[in-house]
Amino acid sequence: MASKPSIPKGTRDFSPIEVSKRNYIISIMRKHFEKYGFQPIETPSFENSDTLMGKYGEEGDRLIFKILNSGDYLDKVPAEELQTINYKQLTGKISEKALRYDLTVPFARYVVQHQNEIEFPFKRYQVQPVWRADRPQKGRFREFYQCDADVVGSTSLWQEVELVQLYDSVFTELGLEGVTIKINNRKILSGIAEVIGASDKLIDFTVALDKLDKIGEDGVKKEMIEKGISEVALEKVQPLFNFTGTISEKIDKLSILLDSSEEGKKGIEELRFICETVSKLGLLKANLDLDVTLARGLNYYTGAIFEVSAPKTVAMGSIGGGGRYDDLTGIFGLKNMSGVGISFGLDRIYLVLEELNLFPETVTTSTKVMFLNFGESQAFEAMKAITELRSKNIKSELYPDNAKIDKQFKHAERRNIPYVVKEIVDGKFTLKNILSGNQTAVSLEELMSELQ
Protein backbone atom coordinates (compact mmCIF):
# COMPACT_ATOMS: atom_id res chain seq x y z
CA MET A 1 0.00 0.00 0.00
CA ALA A 2 1.40 3.40 -0.99
CA SER A 3 2.31 5.71 1.89
CA LYS A 4 0.24 8.84 2.37
CA PRO A 5 1.90 11.85 0.68
CA SER A 6 3.08 14.75 2.84
CA ILE A 7 4.87 18.09 2.53
CA PRO A 8 8.17 19.14 4.18
CA LYS A 9 7.97 20.51 7.72
CA GLY A 10 7.73 24.28 7.82
CA THR A 11 5.80 24.52 4.53
CA ARG A 12 2.07 24.86 3.91
CA ASP A 13 -0.64 24.13 1.39
CA PHE A 14 -3.15 26.96 0.93
CA SER A 15 -6.81 26.27 0.20
CA PRO A 16 -8.74 28.29 -2.43
CA ILE A 17 -10.23 30.47 0.36
CA GLU A 18 -6.80 31.08 1.94
CA VAL A 19 -5.25 31.97 -1.41
CA SER A 20 -8.12 34.38 -2.12
CA LYS A 21 -7.59 36.09 1.23
CA ARG A 22 -3.82 36.31 0.74
CA ASN A 23 -4.29 37.68 -2.78
CA TYR A 24 -6.69 40.29 -1.37
CA ILE A 25 -3.96 41.57 0.99
CA ILE A 26 -1.28 41.45 -1.71
CA SER A 27 -3.49 43.25 -4.25
CA ILE A 28 -4.03 46.13 -1.82
CA MET A 29 -0.29 46.31 -1.13
CA ARG A 30 0.52 46.32 -4.87
CA LYS A 31 -2.04 49.05 -5.53
CA HIS A 32 -0.52 51.34 -2.91
CA PHE A 33 3.08 50.48 -3.81
CA GLU A 34 2.38 51.60 -7.36
CA LYS A 35 0.36 54.63 -6.23
CA TYR A 36 3.48 55.79 -4.39
CA GLY A 37 5.68 55.30 -7.45
CA PHE A 38 7.28 51.94 -6.60
CA GLN A 39 8.02 49.67 -9.55
CA PRO A 40 7.79 45.86 -9.41
CA ILE A 41 10.81 43.62 -9.89
CA GLU A 42 11.33 39.89 -9.43
CA THR A 43 14.55 38.00 -8.82
CA PRO A 44 15.25 34.24 -9.15
CA SER A 45 14.20 31.86 -6.39
CA PHE A 46 17.83 30.79 -6.12
CA GLU A 47 21.06 32.77 -6.35
CA ASN A 48 24.72 31.87 -6.68
CA SER A 49 25.87 30.79 -3.24
CA ASP A 50 28.56 33.47 -3.04
CA THR A 51 25.84 36.13 -3.51
CA LEU A 52 24.12 35.02 -0.30
CA MET A 53 26.79 33.49 1.92
CA GLY A 54 28.51 35.80 4.39
CA LYS A 55 25.78 38.48 4.18
CA TYR A 56 23.66 37.42 7.18
CA GLY A 57 26.24 36.50 9.79
CA GLU A 58 27.14 32.98 10.90
CA GLU A 59 23.62 32.18 12.11
CA GLY A 60 22.05 33.37 8.85
CA ASP A 61 24.52 31.36 6.74
CA ARG A 62 23.49 28.25 8.64
CA LEU A 63 19.84 28.84 7.74
CA ILE A 64 20.39 29.16 3.97
CA PHE A 65 19.05 26.23 1.96
CA LYS A 66 21.85 24.96 -0.31
CA ILE A 67 21.09 23.33 -3.67
CA LEU A 68 23.19 20.33 -4.70
CA ASN A 69 24.92 20.62 -8.08
CA SER A 70 23.24 18.68 -10.88
CA GLY A 71 24.44 15.20 -11.80
CA ASP A 72 27.33 13.64 -9.89
CA TYR A 73 27.83 16.44 -7.36
CA LEU A 74 30.73 14.54 -5.74
CA ASP A 75 32.65 14.32 -9.01
CA LYS A 76 34.95 17.30 -8.28
CA VAL A 77 35.65 16.38 -4.67
CA PRO A 78 39.00 14.61 -4.06
CA ALA A 79 38.62 11.26 -2.28
CA GLU A 80 40.76 12.39 0.68
CA GLU A 81 38.39 15.32 1.34
CA LEU A 82 35.44 12.96 1.47
CA GLN A 83 37.24 11.07 4.23
CA THR A 84 37.69 14.17 6.45
CA ILE A 85 34.01 15.18 6.17
CA ASN A 86 34.62 18.90 6.68
CA TYR A 87 31.13 20.09 5.76
CA LYS A 88 32.11 23.78 5.34
CA GLN A 89 34.89 22.90 2.92
CA LEU A 90 32.72 20.33 1.15
CA THR A 91 29.63 22.55 0.74
CA GLY A 92 31.34 24.96 -1.65
CA LYS A 93 32.31 22.10 -3.97
CA ILE A 94 28.99 20.26 -4.12
CA SER A 95 26.66 23.27 -4.00
CA GLU A 96 27.10 26.39 -6.13
CA LYS A 97 23.55 27.75 -5.68
CA ALA A 98 21.16 28.41 -2.81
CA LEU A 99 17.54 29.43 -2.23
CA ARG A 100 17.22 33.11 -1.38
CA TYR A 101 17.08 33.86 2.37
CA ASP A 102 15.41 37.26 1.98
CA LEU A 103 14.63 39.82 -0.74
CA THR A 104 17.12 42.47 0.43
CA VAL A 105 20.43 40.91 -0.61
CA PRO A 106 19.06 39.80 -4.02
CA PHE A 107 17.79 43.38 -4.44
CA ALA A 108 21.27 44.74 -3.68
CA ARG A 109 22.70 42.33 -6.25
CA TYR A 110 20.06 43.44 -8.76
CA VAL A 111 20.89 47.13 -8.28
CA VAL A 112 24.63 46.57 -8.72
CA GLN A 113 24.20 44.28 -11.72
CA HIS A 114 21.75 46.63 -13.48
CA GLN A 115 23.09 49.97 -12.24
CA ASN A 116 23.61 51.30 -15.80
CA GLU A 117 19.97 50.59 -16.71
CA ILE A 118 18.35 51.89 -13.51
CA GLU A 119 17.17 55.47 -13.10
CA PHE A 120 18.08 56.60 -9.57
CA PRO A 121 16.53 57.18 -7.11
CA PHE A 122 15.07 53.72 -7.78
CA LYS A 123 11.82 52.82 -6.04
CA ARG A 124 11.12 49.10 -6.18
CA TYR A 125 8.67 46.71 -4.61
CA GLN A 126 8.91 42.94 -4.51
CA VAL A 127 6.42 40.28 -3.36
CA GLN A 128 8.01 36.83 -3.51
CA PRO A 129 8.66 33.76 -1.34
CA VAL A 130 11.89 33.25 0.63
CA TRP A 131 13.28 30.16 2.35
CA ARG A 132 15.03 29.61 5.69
CA ALA A 133 16.21 26.29 7.13
CA ASP A 134 14.86 27.28 10.53
CA ARG A 135 13.30 25.01 13.14
CA PRO A 136 9.57 25.08 12.33
CA GLN A 137 7.28 26.27 15.12
CA LYS A 138 4.01 28.15 15.47
CA GLY A 139 4.13 31.24 13.26
CA ARG A 140 7.60 30.38 11.91
CA PHE A 141 7.89 28.68 8.55
CA ARG A 142 10.67 27.54 6.26
CA GLU A 143 8.91 29.02 3.25
CA PHE A 144 7.09 32.34 3.47
CA TYR A 145 6.43 35.50 1.49
CA GLN A 146 8.14 38.85 1.96
CA CYS A 147 6.53 42.06 0.73
CA ASP A 148 9.17 44.80 0.49
CA ALA A 149 9.29 48.39 -0.74
CA ASP A 150 12.67 50.18 -0.97
CA VAL A 151 14.15 53.39 -2.36
CA VAL A 152 17.87 53.44 -3.23
CA GLY A 153 19.98 56.34 -4.44
CA SER A 154 18.62 59.10 -2.20
CA THR A 155 19.45 60.33 1.30
CA SER A 156 16.33 62.52 1.45
CA LEU A 157 14.20 62.14 4.58
CA TRP A 158 11.10 62.69 2.45
CA GLN A 159 11.44 59.00 1.63
CA GLU A 160 10.94 58.09 5.31
CA VAL A 161 7.91 60.39 5.44
CA GLU A 162 6.40 58.64 2.40
CA LEU A 163 7.05 55.19 3.84
CA VAL A 164 5.11 56.10 6.99
CA GLN A 165 2.28 57.30 4.75
CA LEU A 166 2.51 54.09 2.71
CA TYR A 167 2.09 51.95 5.82
CA ASP A 168 -0.88 54.10 6.84
CA SER A 169 -2.51 53.84 3.38
CA VAL A 170 -2.24 50.05 3.20
CA PHE A 171 -3.51 49.39 6.73
CA THR A 172 -6.33 51.90 6.31
CA GLU A 173 -7.65 50.15 3.19
CA LEU A 174 -7.35 46.80 4.96
CA GLY A 175 -9.64 48.23 7.66
CA LEU A 176 -7.04 47.96 10.43
CA GLU A 177 -7.55 50.69 13.01
CA GLY A 178 -5.25 51.22 15.96
CA VAL A 179 -2.03 50.24 14.16
CA THR A 180 1.05 51.92 15.65
CA ILE A 181 4.07 52.78 13.50
CA LYS A 182 7.00 52.96 15.91
CA ILE A 183 10.04 54.96 14.86
CA ASN A 184 13.56 55.35 16.23
CA ASN A 185 16.97 56.22 14.82
CA ARG A 186 20.22 54.26 14.93
CA LYS A 187 22.14 57.53 15.50
CA ILE A 188 20.17 58.16 18.69
CA LEU A 189 21.03 54.70 20.01
CA SER A 190 24.69 55.28 19.11
CA GLY A 191 24.52 58.70 20.80
CA ILE A 192 23.10 57.24 24.00
CA ALA A 193 25.84 54.58 24.09
CA GLU A 194 28.42 57.34 23.49
CA VAL A 195 27.07 59.58 26.28
CA ILE A 196 27.22 56.79 28.86
CA GLY A 197 30.68 55.73 27.75
CA ALA A 198 29.57 52.39 26.31
CA SER A 199 30.06 52.87 22.56
CA ASP A 200 31.92 49.56 22.43
CA LYS A 201 28.84 47.86 23.93
CA LEU A 202 26.23 49.41 21.63
CA ILE A 203 24.72 46.07 20.60
CA ASP A 204 24.62 44.73 24.19
CA PHE A 205 23.06 47.99 25.40
CA THR A 206 20.37 48.17 22.72
CA VAL A 207 19.49 44.46 22.82
CA ALA A 208 18.87 44.78 26.57
CA LEU A 209 16.94 48.07 26.18
CA ASP A 210 14.76 46.44 23.53
CA LYS A 211 13.49 44.01 26.19
CA LEU A 212 12.09 46.76 28.45
CA ASP A 213 8.45 45.88 27.79
CA LYS A 214 9.16 42.16 28.36
CA ILE A 215 11.43 42.02 31.44
CA GLY A 216 10.92 45.49 32.96
CA GLU A 217 13.36 48.12 34.20
CA ASP A 218 15.06 45.90 36.81
CA GLY A 219 15.52 43.07 34.31
CA VAL A 220 17.06 45.39 31.72
CA LYS A 221 19.45 46.96 34.24
CA LYS A 222 20.50 43.51 35.49
CA GLU A 223 21.26 42.36 31.94
CA MET A 224 23.21 45.56 31.16
CA ILE A 225 25.35 45.17 34.27
CA GLU A 226 26.03 41.53 33.34
CA LYS A 227 27.24 42.79 29.93
CA GLY A 228 29.73 45.16 31.61
CA ILE A 229 27.80 48.44 31.53
CA SER A 230 28.49 50.40 34.71
CA GLU A 231 26.09 51.62 37.40
CA VAL A 232 27.16 55.21 36.61
CA ALA A 233 26.18 54.70 32.96
CA LEU A 234 22.77 53.38 34.00
CA GLU A 235 22.14 56.48 36.12
CA LYS A 236 22.71 58.64 33.02
CA VAL A 237 20.09 56.74 31.01
CA GLN A 238 17.53 56.59 33.83
CA PRO A 239 15.12 58.88 31.86
CA LEU A 240 14.80 56.15 29.19
CA PHE A 241 13.10 53.79 31.63
CA ASN A 242 10.11 56.11 31.98
CA PHE A 243 10.10 57.60 28.53
CA THR A 244 6.56 58.91 28.09
CA GLY A 245 4.81 61.90 26.55
CA THR A 246 4.10 63.16 23.05
CA ILE A 247 6.67 62.74 20.28
CA SER A 248 7.80 66.36 20.64
CA GLU A 249 8.14 65.95 24.43
CA LYS A 250 10.19 62.80 23.92
CA ILE A 251 12.42 64.57 21.40
CA ASP A 252 12.97 67.41 23.90
CA LYS A 253 14.01 64.88 26.57
CA LEU A 254 16.42 63.24 24.12
CA SER A 255 17.90 66.65 23.23
CA ILE A 256 18.88 67.14 26.88
CA LEU A 257 20.22 63.60 27.25
CA LEU A 258 22.25 63.73 24.01
CA ASP A 259 23.49 67.30 24.23
CA SER A 260 27.14 66.16 24.21
CA SER A 261 26.82 63.74 21.28
CA GLU A 262 27.04 65.06 17.70
CA GLU A 263 25.86 61.70 16.35
CA GLY A 264 22.91 61.70 18.73
CA LYS A 265 21.94 65.27 17.86
CA LYS A 266 21.95 64.42 14.16
CA GLY A 267 19.60 61.52 14.86
CA ILE A 268 17.30 63.84 16.81
CA GLU A 269 17.11 66.29 13.90
CA GLU A 270 16.28 63.50 11.47
CA LEU A 271 13.55 62.21 13.77
CA ARG A 272 12.21 65.70 14.36
CA PHE A 273 11.85 66.35 10.61
CA ILE A 274 10.12 63.02 9.91
CA CYS A 275 7.73 63.18 12.88
CA GLU A 276 6.82 66.87 12.53
CA THR A 277 6.26 66.52 8.77
CA VAL A 278 4.05 63.45 9.21
CA SER A 279 2.12 65.27 11.94
CA LYS A 280 1.49 68.29 9.70
CA LEU A 281 0.45 66.10 6.74
CA GLY A 282 -1.71 63.88 8.95
CA LEU A 283 -2.34 60.14 8.96
CA LEU A 284 -5.59 58.37 8.06
CA LYS A 285 -5.86 55.64 10.71
CA ALA A 286 -2.39 54.71 11.99
CA ASN A 287 -0.58 56.25 14.95
CA LEU A 288 3.08 57.33 14.84
CA ASP A 289 5.10 56.97 18.03
CA LEU A 290 8.74 57.47 18.98
CA ASP A 291 10.02 54.32 20.70
CA VAL A 292 13.57 54.84 21.93
CA THR A 293 13.86 51.13 22.86
CA LEU A 294 13.35 50.06 19.23
CA ALA A 295 16.64 48.51 18.10
CA ARG A 296 15.97 46.12 15.22
CA GLY A 297 18.50 45.53 12.44
CA LEU A 298 21.44 47.34 14.04
CA ASN A 299 23.88 45.38 11.88
CA TYR A 300 22.71 47.24 8.77
CA TYR A 301 20.36 50.13 9.67
CA THR A 302 22.14 53.48 9.92
CA GLY A 303 19.29 55.99 10.32
CA ALA A 304 15.54 55.65 10.85
CA ILE A 305 14.21 52.35 12.21
CA PHE A 306 10.56 51.34 11.83
CA GLU A 307 8.40 48.68 13.43
CA VAL A 308 4.64 48.32 13.10
CA SER A 309 2.50 46.82 15.86
CA ALA A 310 -0.98 45.41 15.41
CA PRO A 311 -3.97 46.93 17.24
CA LYS A 312 -3.77 46.35 21.00
CA THR A 313 -6.88 44.14 20.86
CA VAL A 314 -4.86 41.46 19.02
CA ALA A 315 -2.04 39.49 20.64
CA MET A 316 0.44 39.63 17.78
CA GLY A 317 4.06 40.67 17.32
CA SER A 318 5.16 43.21 14.74
CA ILE A 319 3.35 43.18 11.39
CA GLY A 320 5.97 45.24 9.55
CA GLY A 321 9.34 46.90 9.89
CA GLY A 322 12.27 48.49 8.11
CA GLY A 323 14.75 51.32 8.16
CA ARG A 324 17.49 53.39 6.51
CA TYR A 325 20.72 51.72 5.38
CA ASP A 326 23.65 53.69 3.99
CA ASP A 327 25.68 51.00 2.26
CA LEU A 328 23.45 48.13 1.15
CA THR A 329 25.15 47.72 -2.22
CA GLY A 330 28.65 48.09 -0.76
CA ILE A 331 28.72 44.32 -0.20
CA PHE A 332 28.87 44.01 -3.99
CA GLY A 333 31.32 46.86 -4.61
CA LEU A 334 28.93 49.77 -5.29
CA LYS A 335 29.70 52.29 -2.54
CA ASN A 336 27.72 55.26 -1.19
CA MET A 337 24.31 54.03 -2.34
CA SER A 338 21.97 54.97 0.49
CA GLY A 339 18.56 53.41 0.74
CA VAL A 340 15.53 53.04 2.96
CA GLY A 341 12.89 50.33 2.93
CA ILE A 342 9.98 48.73 4.72
CA SER A 343 8.47 45.27 4.79
CA PHE A 344 4.93 43.99 5.42
CA GLY A 345 4.42 40.76 7.37
CA LEU A 346 1.88 39.03 5.11
CA ASP A 347 1.22 35.98 7.32
CA ARG A 348 0.76 38.02 10.49
CA ILE A 349 -1.44 40.60 8.74
CA TYR A 350 -3.57 37.69 7.51
CA LEU A 351 -3.99 36.37 11.07
CA VAL A 352 -4.88 39.84 12.39
CA LEU A 353 -7.53 40.40 9.69
CA GLU A 354 -8.93 36.92 10.36
CA GLU A 355 -9.14 37.49 14.11
CA LEU A 356 -10.85 40.87 13.67
CA ASN A 357 -13.15 39.50 10.94
CA LEU A 358 -12.00 42.18 8.47
CA PHE A 359 -11.98 40.15 5.25
CA PRO A 360 -14.89 41.27 3.04
CA GLU A 361 -17.30 38.47 2.14
CA THR A 362 -16.66 39.11 -1.55
CA VAL A 363 -13.02 38.03 -1.13
CA THR A 364 -13.96 34.38 -0.76
CA THR A 365 -16.74 34.44 -3.34
CA SER A 366 -15.55 32.48 -6.34
CA THR A 367 -18.32 31.52 -8.75
CA LYS A 368 -21.38 33.77 -8.50
CA VAL A 369 -23.80 31.53 -10.41
CA MET A 370 -23.82 27.90 -11.52
CA PHE A 371 -26.05 26.59 -14.30
CA LEU A 372 -27.46 23.12 -13.74
CA ASN A 373 -26.85 20.58 -16.50
CA PHE A 374 -29.98 18.96 -18.00
CA GLY A 375 -28.32 17.47 -21.05
CA GLU A 376 -26.55 18.57 -24.21
CA SER A 377 -29.26 20.79 -25.69
CA GLN A 378 -29.85 22.94 -22.60
CA ALA A 379 -26.15 22.88 -21.71
CA PHE A 380 -25.44 24.63 -25.01
CA GLU A 381 -28.02 27.34 -24.21
CA ALA A 382 -26.49 27.66 -20.77
CA MET A 383 -22.99 28.09 -22.22
CA LYS A 384 -24.24 30.87 -24.53
CA ALA A 385 -25.60 32.72 -21.50
CA ILE A 386 -22.44 32.00 -19.46
CA THR A 387 -20.32 33.48 -22.27
CA GLU A 388 -22.38 36.70 -22.04
CA LEU A 389 -22.12 36.79 -18.24
CA ARG A 390 -18.36 36.29 -18.32
CA SER A 391 -18.02 39.16 -20.80
CA LYS A 392 -19.50 41.33 -18.00
CA ASN A 393 -16.98 39.91 -15.49
CA ILE A 394 -19.64 37.85 -13.73
CA LYS A 395 -18.08 34.63 -12.43
CA SER A 396 -20.21 31.83 -13.80
CA GLU A 397 -19.94 28.17 -14.73
CA LEU A 398 -21.84 25.12 -15.94
CA TYR A 399 -21.96 21.93 -13.91
CA PRO A 400 -20.07 19.69 -16.36
CA ASP A 401 -21.99 16.42 -16.00
CA ASN A 402 -25.64 15.56 -16.60
CA ALA A 403 -25.89 14.25 -13.04
CA LYS A 404 -28.77 14.01 -10.57
CA ILE A 405 -30.15 17.47 -9.75
CA ASP A 406 -29.70 16.89 -6.01
CA LYS A 407 -26.01 16.16 -6.54
CA GLN A 408 -25.60 19.36 -8.60
CA PHE A 409 -27.32 21.47 -5.92
CA LYS A 410 -25.15 20.00 -3.17
CA HIS A 411 -22.05 20.79 -5.23
CA ALA A 412 -23.12 24.46 -5.43
CA GLU A 413 -23.82 24.56 -1.67
CA ARG A 414 -20.44 23.03 -0.76
CA ARG A 415 -18.71 25.54 -3.06
CA ASN A 416 -20.61 28.45 -1.44
CA ILE A 417 -22.00 29.46 -4.84
CA PRO A 418 -24.88 31.83 -4.00
CA TYR A 419 -27.01 31.43 -7.15
CA VAL A 420 -28.11 28.55 -9.36
CA VAL A 421 -29.90 28.68 -12.72
CA LYS A 422 -32.22 25.69 -12.61
CA GLU A 423 -33.59 25.71 -16.13
CA ILE A 424 -33.96 27.75 -19.29
CA VAL A 425 -37.41 27.87 -20.93
CA ASP A 426 -38.37 30.22 -23.80
CA GLY A 427 -35.46 32.56 -23.11
CA LYS A 428 -36.30 32.78 -19.41
CA PHE A 429 -33.82 31.67 -16.73
CA THR A 430 -35.11 30.23 -13.45
CA LEU A 431 -32.69 31.80 -10.95
CA LYS A 432 -32.58 30.43 -7.41
CA ASN A 433 -30.90 32.13 -4.44
CA ILE A 434 -29.48 29.18 -2.50
CA LEU A 435 -29.35 31.05 0.83
CA SER A 436 -32.89 32.44 0.83
CA GLY A 437 -34.50 29.77 -1.33
CA ASN A 438 -36.23 32.44 -3.45
CA GLN A 439 -36.43 31.84 -7.17
CA THR A 440 -37.61 33.94 -10.14
CA ALA A 441 -37.84 33.57 -13.91
CA VAL A 442 -35.80 36.35 -15.55
CA SER A 443 -34.52 37.39 -18.97
CA LEU A 444 -30.79 37.37 -19.75
CA GLU A 445 -30.59 41.15 -19.19
CA GLU A 446 -32.41 40.82 -15.88
CA LEU A 447 -30.11 37.94 -14.93
CA MET A 448 -27.04 40.11 -15.57
CA SER A 449 -28.53 42.95 -13.56
CA GLU A 450 -29.36 40.64 -10.66
CA LEU A 451 -25.87 39.13 -10.54
CA GLN A 452 -23.80 42.31 -10.95
Side-chain angles (χ1 to χ4, degrees):
M1 183 178 174
S3 60
K4 188 177 179 181
S6 63
I7 59 174
K9 288 182 179 178
T11 64
R12 296 163 288 174
D13 286 325
F14 295 104
S15 69
I17 288 176
E18 289 169 327
V19 170
S20 296
K21 289 179 175 180
R22 286 164 66 85
N23 285 345
Y24 165 73
I25 298 171
I26 292 170
S27 68
I28 286 176
M29 288 179 188
R30 286 187 191 277
K31 182 174 91 175
H32 289 279
F33 288 156
E34 292 179 7
K35 188 167 74 175
Y36 278 73
F38 291 85
Q39 299 173 286
I41 70 163
E42 291 190 357
T43 57
S45 299
F46 54 92
E47 298 270 353
N48 292 324
S49 296
D50 56 10
T51 297
L52 302 178
M53 299 299 288
K55 310 302 190 300
Y56 306 101
E58 192 172 333
E59 175 69 9
D61 282 355
R62 191 179 60 79
L63 299 180
I64 291 173
F65 274 109
K66 286 80 175 178
I67 300 172
L68 289 175
N69 295 338
S70 301
D72 184 359
Y73 53 84
L74 293 175
D75 183 47
K76 297 178 182 177
V77 183
E80 60 271 16
E81 287 189 20
L82 288 174
Q83 302 301 318
T84 59
I85 316 180
N86 182 328
Y87 85 92
K88 286 187 178 179
Q89 188 178 30
L90 195 60
T91 300
K93 294 182 179 177
I94 66 173
S95 172
E96 296 169 357
K97 299 175 185 66
L99 292 176
R100 61 170 173 245
Y101 175 90
D102 70 358
L103 297 180
T104 306
V105 169
F107 173 51
R109 190 267 308 151
Y110 177 94
V111 170
V112 174
Q113 190 172 342
H114 299 276
Q115 59 185 288
N116 295 325
E117 307 150 34
I118 292 173
E119 175 61 31
F120 294 103
F122 180 45
K123 301 173 78 169
R124 90 75 165 89
Y125 76 86
Q126 205 169 343
V127 180
Q128 287 187 279
V130 298
W131 294 267
R132 295 183 185 177
D134 216 340
R135 185 170 63 86
Q137 51 187 287
K138 186 178 180 181
R140 180 175 291 178
F141 304 98
R142 288 175 168 171
E143 177 185 65
F144 57 96
Y145 268 74
Q146 287 193 337
C147 312
D148 291 2
D150 290 79
V151 189
V152 291
S154 171
T155 58
S156 170
L157 295 176
W158 286 107
Q159 310 291 1
E160 278 85 339
V161 171
E162 281 209 323
L163 290 175
V164 172
Q165 292 180 313
L166 176 57
Y167 266 140
D168 182 43
S169 295
V170 170
F171 290 125
T172 296
E173 183 159 349
L174 288 171
L176 266 181
E177 298 192 22
V179 166
T180 300
I181 304 167
K182 299 176 185 176
I183 187 171
N184 197 13
N185 193 294
R186 163 65 187 260
K187 297 181 180 73
I188 285 174
L189 293 168
S190 298
I192 294 169
E194 180 189 339
V195 164
I196 66 173
S199 292
D200 59 328
K201 299 186 183 300
L202 172 63
I203 301 296
D204 291 334
F205 169 77
T206 50
V207 166
L209 188 63
D210 199 26
K211 297 177 184 174
L212 185 60
D213 60 339
K214 298 182 185 74
I215 61 177
E217 180 179 338
D218 292 340
V220 170
K221 286 181 174 178
K222 181 173 180 288
E223 184 170 323
M224 286 183 176
I225 289 169
E226 287 172 355
K227 295 292 185 181
I229 296 169
S230 69
E231 296 271 6
V232 175
L234 293 182
E235 286 177 23
K236 292 181 180 178
V237 294
Q238 184 60 40
L240 298 181
F241 295 111
N242 187 28
F243 205 68
T244 56
T246 64
I247 290 178
S248 59
E249 287 170 347
K250 289 178 180 177
I251 288 176
D252 289 341
K253 290 178 185 177
L254 283 174
S255 296
I256 296 169
L257 180 64
L258 299 176
D259 185 54
S260 62
S261 168
E262 289 304 316
E263 178 86 346
K265 286 194 282 189
K266 190 174 179 185
I268 288 171
E269 288 313 304
E270 290 179 8
L271 262 186
R272 194 191 303 276
F273 174 83
I274 297 165
C275 295
E276 287 184 356
T277 304
V278 168
S279 176
K280 289 173 185 174
L281 292 170
L283 293 175
L284 298 167
K285 296 285 186 184
N287 306 302
L288 182 66
D289 189 32
L290 168 53
D291 183 354
V292 77
T293 69
L294 182 58
R296 60 184 289 146
L298 286 185
N299 289 332
Y300 43 93
Y301 290 143
T302 54
I305 306 170
F306 299 107
E307 188 167 280
V308 184
S309 8
K312 291 186 174 71
T313 53
V314 183
M316 183 65 67
S318 67
I319 56 175
R324 164 74 64 174
Y325 41 82
D326 278 343
D327 199 22
L328 175 72
T329 57
I331 54 177
F332 297 115
L334 182 61
K335 300 292 184 184
N336 304 316
M337 184 65 74
S338 184
V340 59
I342 58 172
S343 182
F344 290 81
L346 175 62
D347 291 310
R348 287 185 173 183
I349 293 169
Y350 180 106
L351 293 172
V352 171
L353 295 183
E354 191 89 299
E355 186 169 332
L356 297 177
N357 198 28
L358 290 175
F359 283 109
E361 284 185 23
T362 52
V363 169
T364 54
T365 302
S366 53
T367 296
K368 189 77 175 281
V369 60
M370 187 186 85
F371 286 66
L372 301 187
N373 190 327
F374 287 96
E376 191 172 327
S377 176
Q378 190 161 100
F380 181 76
E381 291 302 313
M383 282 305 296
K384 286 202 301 186
I386 288 169
T387 302
E388 288 289 326
L389 292 173
R390 287 173 178 167
S391 73
K392 304 295 182 186
N393 293 318
I394 298 169
K395 299 173 183 176
S396 40
E397 63 180 91
L398 170 71
Y399 190 84
D401 303 311
N402 184 8
K404 290 181 179 179
I405 300 306
D406 185 52
K407 180 180 180 181
Q408 297 188 47
F409 262 113
K410 284 182 177 175
H411 178 77
E413 288 171 355
R414 285 193 289 263
R415 293 263 316 276
N416 293 317
I417 297 173
Y419 292 96
V420 161
V421 171
K422 292 175 64 179
E423 58 184 354
I424 307 169
V425 178
D426 297 329
K428 290 286 187 179
F429 300 80
T430 304
L431 180 68
K432 181 169 184 175
N433 183 318
I434 288 184
L435 290 176
S436 68
N438 295 335
Q439 66 180 46
T440 52
V442 295
S443 66
L444 180 58
E445 289 72 22
E446 290 168 330
L447 180 63
M448 287 182 183
S449 177
E450 181 75 25
L451 296 173
Q452 277 177 327

